[in-house]
Amino acid sequence: MEQYACMVDLMAREGQFTEIMEFIGKMPFEPNAAIWGSLLGASRIYSNPEIAEYAAQYLFELEPQISRNYILLDNIYSTLGRWEDAAKIRCLMKERGVTKLPGCSWTEVGRKVYSFIVGDMSHPLMDQIMAKMQSLYLEIKEIGYVPDTKFVLQDVEEAEKEFSLCGHSEKLALAFGLISTPAGTPLRIIKNLRVCGDCHLATKYISKVENREIIMRDNYRFHHFVNGACSCGDYW
């Protein structure tokens, strides 16, 4: 099964959905959650809602209490502006008692671990953190960064979406690390959920303008940012 799952993942990275469905149809046993999960993840990357729905229906049966499957489909719908469909997924989660953990990130500075929760502005250095974020935004926009507001899963104005992105936990942890450590020091951040696409994009640019090595571990894999590039090749 693991070998079949690897083949599906390889084809999924190239968006070969027709080939994947033919491959799955010829498997000598029923696909497991790893296979359908690879397909759902690729559907997010390639914005393919039809394949996403097909994969999700199996995942909802195989892993009815795993929130990431619902959230991925919700994200796909929201990105495409299908707000009613996204709302139906959230209602389904509520009916089944599936809860989504708030995004939380941790970083270590001076042998002490600091935690940040999405939208939480209670940190005593928050004014400095937000000032650093604003400064970073100006710098990285000058070299090509454009906020990817499709990762804000609410139907609000663009300006509000861009402001919301600043409150993501990994950005708060990153800005705190930058103002709390000497220049050139590698930063290490851990996140309990999948890093969002905009935070991933912003971190690539930040690693370049700050000349910092940034290692971020989300709940899928390690991301090693150096000089504007990530080890994951922008696929996760």
Side-chain angles (χ1 to χ4, degrees):
M1 180 65 80
E2 287 80 4
Q3 291 172 324
Y4 279 90
C6 286
M7 284 300 300
V8 170
D9 185 62
L10 285 170
M11 290 187 285
R13 288 171 180 269
E14 296 299 322
Q16 298 176 358
F17 295 113
T18 300
E19 291 84 349
I20 290 173
M21 298 312 299
E22 292 176 355
F23 184 78
I24 290 175
K26 295 177 182 178
M27 286 174 53
F29 33 67
E30 290 296 317
N32 64 3
I35 287 175
W36 295 121
S38 293
L39 195 55
L40 180 58
S43 300
R44 180 187 67 89
I45 298 292
Y46 289 97
S47 297
N48 190 321
E50 291 78 18
I51 293 294
E53 291 167 343
Y54 186 79
Q57 69 177 344
Y58 288 99
L59 287 168
F60 293 166
E61 293 180 6
L62 293 169
E63 301 177 328
Q65 295 300 309
I66 301 299
S67 62
R68 66 171 178 266
N69 301 323
Y70 299 87
I71 294 166
L72 267 176
L73 187 57
D74 179 12
N75 289 355
I76 292 168
Y77 285 145
S78 299
T79 299
L80 297 173
R82 293 172 55 175
W83 304 111
E84 290 186 6
D85 290 325
K88 289 178 181 177
I89 295 299
R90 291 192 289 272
C91 286
L92 180 61
M93 291 178 67
K94 187 175 181 180
E95 290 173 3
R96 296 184 174 183
V98 180
T99 57
K100 175 187 176 184
L101 295 173
C104 185
S105 297
W106 298 265
T107 189
E108 183 177 350
V109 174
R111 296 184 178 275
K112 183 178 179 181
V113 176
Y114 296 84
S115 62
F116 297 86
I117 298 175
V118 60
D120 182 9
M121 299 290 144
S122 63
H123 193 281
L125 296 181
M126 189 52 66
D127 288 344
Q128 296 178 46
I129 291 171
M130 294 309 295
K132 182 63 176 178
M133 279 304 308
Q134 291 173 7
S135 173
L136 286 171
Y137 262 51
L138 292 176
E139 289 186 73
I140 63 179
K141 282 181 177 179
E142 288 182 358
I143 63 171
Y145 167 72
V146 178
D148 197 341
T149 56
K150 71 173 180 286
F151 291 98
V152 178
L153 307 180
Q154 292 86 33
D155 189 10
V156 295
E157 297 296 326
E158 283 298 307
E160 189 174 349
K161 288 183 178 181
E162 186 171 340
F163 178 77
S164 175
L165 291 171
C166 294
H168 284 196
S169 65
E170 55 267 57
K171 283 198 180 84
L172 298 178
L174 177 55
F176 172 74
L178 290 171
I179 66 174
S180 304
T181 58
T185 304
L187 296 179
R188 293 173 176 81
I189 298 168
I190 299 173
K191 186 178 180 182
N192 65 332
L193 304 174
R194 180 197 297 260
V195 61
C196 94
D198 178 75
C199 289
H200 189 274
L201 177 64
T203 305
K204 288 199 301 181
Y205 281 101
I206 291 170
S207 72
K208 187 171 185 176
V209 299
E210 290 285 328
N211 193 25
R212 293 271 195 139
E213 178 185 3
I214 303 169
I215 301 98
M216 188 178 296
R217 176 70 166 100
D218 67 9
N219 71 341
Y220 276 77
R221 59 176 48 86
F222 280 96
H223 299 270
H224 186 197
F225 300 92
V226 178
N227 195 31
C230 180
S231 59
C232 77
D234 297 337
Y235 188 100
W236 73 100

